[in-house]
């Protein structure tokens, strides 16, 4: 018997030598080995974060190309390019270079549109990714700081978008900058000084475009890159969250290793995202600045809206009555600008950023959570998130009130008043409806666990009694519907001790208790093993179920962990652990 051995090629020897060199000096091999074995769950909603990452990579690639041809200068020039309607028009070099990019640089218009569409998708992916994190409770300990990182990325994305679409110095972007100047000037006492500082003099000045260019291509992208790295570091450090189900718990992750399976999937998905954005850039025109012309403060028309992610601010300004001004000590305080441009967005964003800490304070839960919640099992959180989205959505629609009026032949005054009422009533209505839906879905889960799925089969007994045959749930579906914790409002110690001395910290505890009652007073208890046994005996469950459905079984606890043993190694999920 003879054996043959293949001689390594020169390339293979060089690669092995390089890897060995780096491993001995940096410990790279251990890091790669550990990282490659990292398990990631397989669910479509986790791709939302990847869309944001891949869109940002597309932004960087296309942005490098655009930077080579764009001239960030507000110096005046006369256009002599191929676009006939602009010939002989005086404009800034920034706008002239944008036209040159669009009509004279090979592939310039395609890159401009790819860059713009990638920015829009980047912001959409961040928003939907944060919605997924919020509604599933992925922000709970130990991920509160990662939520703050993601929120900061959202704010930086807004800054990147605003600074980017302001660079061409066309009529549309100039109107946006004029609004920005008005908002800055509305700040009491220091507003006019800040405006002079930002614009380098009286609006529009000569320095804004170069400053925006530095912010857009250097400052904000650098911060976004750093925070994306920190965000991914936290994901690896804390391990990935996973949706509830049999075999999934806080001490494991069910999914696929990073290498080679997840790496191959992510690589292929990048090309899909890039391909879709490139197709949109090639077939769907966006921001045709040659139709708007260079910035001139005199043209005023309907349809001057910013990109979608800034429409909420535009809508807030349009809904505020213009008469809201007060004079204090000789200073005019323009509440018609301060409230919609600073107070309303500040409240909405502060609620979004602080929510994980408020919920942790109200719950008093200090455990780590790696298994996600089903939104129906956290009615207050889900209803609050929907109400916040409704408020933003109403402001977005209000930012397009002129387009709604012209397209549907309606009175813009009627539309504005309608949105004013909706902004205050819509979120409360959405909160109430969403909470009732969540509680109804929880009751449906109880019904399914106790009685099973309806089959539509009617059976008649010899005694003449008719019953419908129900199909019982299998162990895994039953686990999914009862695995959540039964969180109840906190109980606190009395205000005074046995000697009548007022207890220190009672006021804080009372605030915490009230928050807890607001969060968890309306709830549906998960089915307990005793209730399930009673239901299967066809006897006592008719008495037990109504009481539990109204939260009256104060001694009951979630019993899903008793229905299916999480250590059962026969489940298919355990093979991928």
């Amino acid at each position: 018997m003879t054996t043959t051995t293949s001689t390594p090629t020169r390339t293979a020897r060089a690669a092995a030598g390089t890897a060995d060199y780096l491993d001995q000096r940096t410990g790279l091999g251990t890091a790669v080995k550990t990282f490659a074995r990292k398990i990631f769950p397989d669910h479509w909603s986790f791709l939302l974060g990847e869309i944001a990452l891949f869109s940002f990579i597309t932004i960087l690639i296309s942005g490098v190309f655009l930077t080579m041809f764009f001239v960030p200068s507000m110096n005046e020039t006369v256009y002599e390019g191929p676009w006939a309607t602009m010939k002989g028009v005086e404009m800034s070099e920034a706008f002239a270079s944008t036209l040159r990019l669009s009509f004279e640089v090979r592939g310039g218009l395609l890159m401009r549109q790819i860059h713009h569409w990638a920015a829009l998708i980047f912001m959409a992916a961040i928003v939907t990714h944060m919605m997924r994190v919020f509604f599933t409770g992925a922000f709970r300990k130990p991920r509160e700081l990662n939520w703050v990182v993601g929120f900061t990325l959202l704010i930086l994305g807004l800054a990147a978008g605003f600074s980017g679409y302001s660079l061409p110095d066309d009529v549309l972007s100039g109107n946006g900058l004029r609004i920005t100047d008005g908002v800055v000037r509305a700040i009491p006492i220091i507003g006019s000084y800040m405006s002079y500082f930002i614009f380098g003099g009286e609006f529009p000045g000569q320095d804004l475009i170069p400053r925006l260019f530095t912010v857009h291509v250097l400052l904000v992208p650098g911060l976004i890159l750093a925070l994306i790295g920190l965000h991914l570091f936290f994901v690896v450090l804390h391990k990935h969250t996973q949706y509830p189900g049999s075999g999934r718990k806080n001490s494991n992750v069910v999914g696929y290793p990073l290498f080679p399976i997840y790496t191959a999937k992510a690589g292929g998905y990048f090309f899909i995202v890039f391909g879709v954005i490139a197709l949109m850039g090639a077939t769907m025109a966006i921001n045709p600045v040659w139709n708007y012309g260079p910035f001139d403060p005199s043209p005023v028309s309907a349809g001057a809206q910013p990109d979608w992610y800034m429409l909420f601010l535009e809508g807030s300004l349009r809904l505020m009555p213009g008469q809201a001004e007060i004079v204090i000590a000789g200073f005019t305080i323009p509440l018609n600008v301060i409230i919609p441009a600073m107070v309303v967005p500040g409240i909405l964003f502060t609620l979004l950023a602080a929510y994980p800490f408020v919920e942790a304070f109200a719950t008093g839960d200090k455990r780590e959570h790696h298994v996600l919640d089903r939104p129906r099992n956290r009615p207050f959180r889900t209803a609050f998130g929907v109400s916040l989205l409704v408020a933003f959505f109403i402001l977005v629609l209000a930012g397009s009130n002129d387009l709604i009026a012209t397209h549907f032949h309606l009175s813009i005054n009627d539309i504005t008043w309608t949105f004013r009422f909706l902004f205050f009533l819509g979120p409360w209505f959405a909160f109430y409806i969403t909470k009732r839906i969540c509680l109804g879905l929880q009751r449906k889960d109880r019904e399914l666990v106790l009685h099973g799925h309806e089959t539509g089969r009617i059976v008649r007994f010899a005694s003449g009694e008719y019953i419908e045959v129900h199909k019982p749930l299998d162990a895994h579906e039953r686990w999914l519907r009862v695995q959540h914790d039964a969180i109840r409002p906190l109980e606190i110690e009395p205000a005074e001790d046995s000697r009548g001395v007022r207890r220190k910290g009672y006021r804080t505890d009372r605030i915490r208790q009230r928050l807890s009652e607001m969060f968890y007073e309306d709830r549906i208890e998960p089915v307990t093993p005793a209730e399930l046994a009673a239901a299967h005996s066809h006897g006592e469950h008719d008495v037990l179920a109504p009481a539990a459905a109204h939260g009256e079984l104060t001694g009951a606890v979630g019993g899903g962990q008793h229905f299916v043993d999480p250590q059962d190694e026969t489940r298919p999920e355990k093979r991928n652990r």
Side-chain angles (χ1 to χ4, degrees):
M1 178 179 177
T2 60
T3 59
T4 59
T5 58
S6 58
T7 303
T9 63
R10 180 177 300 178
T11 303
R13 289 197 302 270
T18 303
D20 183 64
Y21 179 88
L22 292 174
D23 184 39
Q24 292 184 29
R25 288 158 179 80
T26 64
L28 184 64
T30 303
V32 170
K33 181 179 179 181
T34 302
F35 193 66
R37 291 180 176 178
K38 199 73 178 177
I39 301 298
F40 288 86
D42 193 30
H43 192 274
W44 67 266
S45 65
F46 297 140
L47 299 178
L48 296 171
E50 294 189 20
I51 294 176
L53 176 62
F54 299 153
S55 300
F56 184 68
I57 294 174
T58 305
I59 291 172
L60 293 180
I61 295 172
S62 56
V64 169
F65 178 90
L66 298 177
T67 304
M68 297 178 181
F69 300 96
F70 180 74
V71 180
S73 172
M74 299 183 72
N75 294 331
E76 294 295 322
T77 185
V78 177
Y79 182 71
E80 297 295 343
W83 190 251
T85 58
M86 290 290 166
K87 281 200 175 204
V89 176
E90 191 173 340
M91 60 184 65
S92 67
E93 291 186 0
F95 187 79
S97 65
T98 304
L99 294 180
R100 192 178 307 112
L101 253 171
S102 302
F103 301 117
E104 300 179 54
V105 176
R106 188 181 299 274
L109 181 59
L110 175 63
M111 281 297 182
R112 273 195 63 227
Q113 300 196 150
I114 286 177
H115 191 74
H116 205 135
W117 280 118
L120 297 182
I121 293 176
F122 173 65
M123 290 304 302
I126 287 181
V127 171
T128 50
H129 178 62
M130 290 190 70
M131 288 168 55
R132 196 275 301 173
V133 171
F134 181 88
F135 287 118
T136 59
F139 54 75
R140 294 172 296 171
K141 184 181 178 180
R143 297 176 179 83
E144 302 97 332
L145 292 180
N146 213 9
W147 170 265
V148 175
V149 170
F151 173 80
T152 308
L153 281 170
L154 174 65
I155 301 302
L156 289 174
L158 296 177
F162 175 77
S163 60
Y165 70 65
S166 299
L167 288 177
D169 198 30
D170 60 298
V171 168
L172 186 61
S173 64
N175 287 335
L177 291 173
R178 176 83 261 189
I179 294 173
T180 303
D181 177 56
V183 171
V184 172
R185 286 177 176 272
I187 302 174
I189 301 177
I190 64 172
S192 58
Y193 299 100
M194 290 187 63
S195 174
Y196 268 67
F197 172 76
I198 294 172
F199 293 95
E202 191 70 32
F203 177 87
Q206 293 294 319
D207 300 331
L208 183 61
I209 296 300
R211 291 176 179 180
L212 283 177
F213 183 76
T214 302
V215 169
H216 184 69
V217 305
L218 182 62
L219 180 60
V220 175
L223 292 174
I224 291 177
L225 278 173
L227 289 179
I228 286 177
L230 182 60
H231 185 73
L232 295 178
F233 170 75
F234 278 138
V235 170
V236 174
L237 178 66
H238 297 145
K239 77 182 180 182
H240 210 294
T241 55
Q242 56 185 341
Y243 283 93
S246 55
R248 295 171 172 85
K249 51 186 180 177
N250 284 322
S251 59
N252 73 345
V253 179
V254 177
Y256 299 98
L258 177 67
F259 186 84
I261 298 175
Y262 199 80
T263 305
K265 285 188 173 184
Y269 195 57
F270 166 75
F271 288 105
I272 292 176
V273 172
F274 181 83
V276 169
I277 295 174
L279 182 64
M280 294 174 68
T283 59
M284 302 169 67
I286 188 169
N287 198 25
V289 295
W290 50 88
N291 289 337
Y292 310 143
F295 175 63
D296 182 352
S298 58
V300 178
S301 64
Q305 277 81 21
D307 286 337
W308 72 267
Y309 47 84
M310 295 297 292
L311 265 176
F312 75 94
L313 186 58
E314 177 84 6
S316 181
L317 287 166
R318 294 188 182 193
L319 291 185
M320 187 68 187
Q323 300 82 6
E325 292 183 350
I326 59 175
V327 179
I328 300 177
F331 290 96
T332 300
I333 311 298
L335 298 180
N336 52 358
V337 177
I338 293 176
I339 291 177
M342 302 177 194
V343 176
V344 172
I347 292 174
L348 294 177
F349 280 119
T350 300
L351 289 173
L352 186 63
Y355 183 88
F357 305 96
V358 175
E359 182 176 294
F361 178 75
T363 306
D365 186 4
K366 300 184 182 300
R367 300 172 299 165
E368 289 192 1
H369 295 274
H370 303 291
V371 177
L372 301 173
D373 288 326
R374 300 175 76 201
R376 67 181 64 182
N377 294 333
R378 296 292 179 263
F380 180 88
R381 179 203 298 157
T382 304
F384 177 80
V386 170
S387 65
L388 207 60
L389 285 175
V390 167
F392 275 105
F393 185 67
I394 291 172
L395 292 179
V396 167
L397 289 178
S400 302
N401 60 353
D402 53 346
L403 291 180
I404 296 174
T406 55
H407 281 67
F408 296 97
H409 307 289
L410 300 173
S411 168
I412 192 170
N413 292 326
D414 293 341
I415 294 172
T416 301
W417 275 104
T418 300
F419 282 134
R420 285 173 179 170
F421 282 109
L422 283 177
F423 179 72
F424 291 101
L425 300 179
W428 290 106
F429 182 73
F431 181 90
Y432 176 80
I433 295 298
T434 304
K435 190 172 183 179
R436 304 317 301 176
I437 290 175
C438 290
L439 293 173
L441 290 173
Q442 286 187 353
R443 291 189 181 95
K444 181 64 174 178
D445 283 346
R446 283 187 57 85
E447 183 71 16
L448 289 174
V449 171
L450 291 173
H451 304 293
H453 292 283
E454 297 179 357
T455 63
R457 292 179 54 214
I458 307 298
V459 176
R460 179 186 179 188
F461 290 125
S463 61
E465 178 186 4
Y466 289 90
I467 66 167
E468 181 183 9
V469 178
H470 284 228
K471 178 184 177 183
L473 276 64
D474 60 42
H476 305 299
E477 183 181 0
R478 189 165 63 237
W479 168 270
L480 177 65
R481 296 183 186 276
V482 300
Q483 50 77 35
H484 59 282
D485 297 327
I487 304 179
R488 301 180 183 85
L490 295 175
E491 296 181 3
I492 62 175
E493 297 179 1
E496 299 178 351
D497 59 19
S498 58
R499 295 174 294 178
V501 179
R502 187 170 182 83
R503 181 170 61 86
K504 185 179 180 180
Y506 171 76
R507 180 170 297 181
T508 302
D509 289 348
R510 182 57 181 154
I511 295 174
R512 189 176 185 181
Q513 185 184 42
R514 288 178 178 175
L515 272 176
S516 180
E517 290 173 351
M518 183 175 64
F519 273 65
Y520 303 113
E521 188 171 20
D522 295 330
R523 68 190 187 279
I524 305 297
E525 300 281 353
V527 177
T528 64
E531 290 178 291
L532 186 65
H536 285 178
S537 66
H538 298 285
E540 301 175 5
H541 70 276
D542 292 330
V543 178
L544 292 171
H550 292 84
E552 297 170 6
L553 292 178
T554 57
V557 295
Q561 61 271 28
H562 303 293
F563 300 148
V564 181
D565 180 11
Q567 301 298 329
D568 182 7
E569 296 291 340
T570 62
R571 297 195 196 95
E573 295 95 333
K574 302 294 281 189
R575 295 195 293 269
N576 294 325
R577 189 174 50 180

